Amino acid sequence: MTSIDPFGRTDKLDEAMLEALVVRFEARGKHPLFAGMLREYLDAMHIDSAGTILDMGCGTGLVARAIASRPEFSGRVIGIDISSHLVTAAERLAHEEGIAERVEFRIGDTRTLEDADATFDAVVAHTLLSHVEEPLSVVTEAARVLRPGGMLGIFDGDYASLTFGHQDPDKGKAYDEALISAVVTNPHVMRQMPRLLSQAGLTLVTSFAHVLSEVGTADFWSSAIEAYRRLIPKTGVMTKEETDVWAEGLHSDSQKGVFFGSSNYYSYVARRP
Ligand SMILES: C[S@@+](CC[C@H](N)C(=O)[O-])C[C@H]1O[C@@H](n2cnc3c(N)ncnc32)[C@H](O)[C@@H]1O
């Protein structure tokens, strides 16, 4: 079955939706909780000692730019994404940040990379695997293009755990399930990741687990809700009116100090033997 997940078909979205994604990716990436989870696994990968790095599903180049801006890093990062619009945005942002000579962005599909075997010292996939239809093909491609001893970092939401509080728990559960089916292709992929890494011939080095919960007032989750509000009606899972009721209810909960929103996130660091 073809996925309805907009993040997995960014090559087919309209310009207005893509601009909304640019805003969302940048806002999410700058959030201290998100930035902290990124830094944690990049440190565990010893990313500063890598010479050439591949950022799979780079979007606006958030991870590529974060690596290129690290004071101890002197290598080069290549970002690949299926969306030409996001690749153009990534190039623009890298120029604006004065790091364009350390990064390069290309249009491509991470399920079938054009790069030769053993090209990269490190590969990163930041919130990509939950959105591709064949996650094993992405992990296998990452393993193929890594040099022996090279490190792979995979970060994503365990979106099967994504949930928002609602005064009617049954209604809340129905909303959660509708949201997850609309914006994620593989809500359980981070639970499958130890198996996928093993099937791709990689050795698990370490993992990190986080619960990104906000209780009372929404901050991280309020910008996510606004992005989902624009995306959900496009998937057909809920109408615009239904989605507005859902989003307004959550914003109202936040204003009243009774908000609850949560999802688990995981990072895996693996090595090519
Ligand atoms: C949720 S976004 C994450 C973007 C970026 N890594 C970040 O964390 O801000 C997922 C990205 O994967 C890209 N993508 C989805 N499927 C892809 C594929 N098969 N090959 C390359 N990129 C893909 C999308 O275009 C989108 O930019």
Side-chain angles (χ1 to χ4, degrees):
M1 196 184 89
T2 304
S3 170
I4 54 170
D5 171 5
F7 296 105
R9 49 188 185 87
T10 46
D11 50 340
K12 299 185 180 66
L13 300 180
D14 62 42
E15 295 283 304
M17 196 51 54
L18 287 161
E19 262 319 292
L21 290 190
V22 171
V23 172
R24 167 68 187 140
F25 292 161
E26 290 302 296
R28 181 178 78 159
K30 287 192 179 73
H31 195 281
L33 294 174
F34 224 69
M37 292 191 287
L38 170 61
R39 209 165 34 243
E40 177 182 59
Y41 81 84
L42 292 181
D43 287 346
M45 291 174 73
H46 305 293
I47 205 78
D48 292 334
S49 60
T52 48
I53 300 171
L54 175 64
D55 176 10
M56 296 174 115
C58 62
T60 55
L62 180 93
V63 175
R65 289 182 285 121
I67 296 170
S69 304
R70 287 168 68 103
E72 302 298 316
F73 179 73
S74 60
R76 194 169 166 73
V77 193
I78 315 288
I80 291 184
D81 201 280
I82 42 163
S83 162
S84 61
H85 186 102
L86 295 175
V87 164
T88 303
E91 286 168 343
R92 175 180 52 79
L93 289 161
H95 274 284
E96 284 171 13
E97 291 173 13
I99 50 160
E101 75 288 350
R102 287 198 192 172
V103 293
E104 179 189 328
F105 296 104
R106 292 189 211 144
I107 303 164
D109 191 326
T110 55
R111 291 170 294 191
T112 50
L113 292 170
E114 289 171 5
D115 302 273
D117 296 0
T119 300
F120 297 99
D121 299 318
V123 176
V124 174
H126 198 77
T127 68
L128 168 68
L129 274 299
S130 64
H131 299 294
V132 286
E133 285 185 29
E134 299 95 15
L136 178 59
S137 65
V138 175
V139 180
T140 305
E141 277 295 82
R144 182 183 67 75
V145 300
L146 265 179
R147 66 162 173 76
M151 298 288 237
L152 170 63
I154 293 179
F155 170 84
D156 220 317
D158 175 47
Y159 291 114
S161 67
L162 175 61
T163 186
F164 294 101
H166 194 280
Q167 60 184 353
D168 174 350
D170 290 337
K171 186 78 187 154
K173 186 164 182 279
Y175 275 136
D176 289 345
E177 286 171 356
L179 170 65
I180 293 164
S181 71
V183 299
V184 186
T185 303
N186 304 305
H188 297 94
V189 74
M190 294 312 270
R191 304 176 192 191
Q192 297 165 320
M193 197 51 66
R195 272 175 235 283
L196 298 181
L197 293 172
S198 170
Q199 284 167 21
L202 296 164
T203 306
L204 179 62
V205 175
T206 191
S207 64
F208 302 98
H210 294 277
V211 184
L212 207 164
S213 286
E214 287 175 335
V215 175
T217 308
D219 174 26
F220 177 86
W221 287 118
S222 62
S223 72
I225 290 161
E226 273 313 289
Y228 297 152
R229 181 185 194 145
R230 296 190 65 169
L231 292 171
I232 293 171
K234 301 258 177 198
T235 68
V237 165
M238 290 200 283
T239 63
K240 183 178 179 317
E241 291 69 30
E242 287 168 331
T243 310
D244 283 342
V245 169
W246 168 79
E248 290 302 334
L250 291 174
H251 289 315
S252 162
D253 284 353
S254 179
Q255 275 156 14
K256 288 186 267 182
V258 298
F259 176 85
F260 180 94
S262 182
S263 180
N264 298 340
Y265 283 84
Y266 288 87
S267 319
Y268 287 85
V269 175
R271 181 184 289 112
R272 179 175 169 185

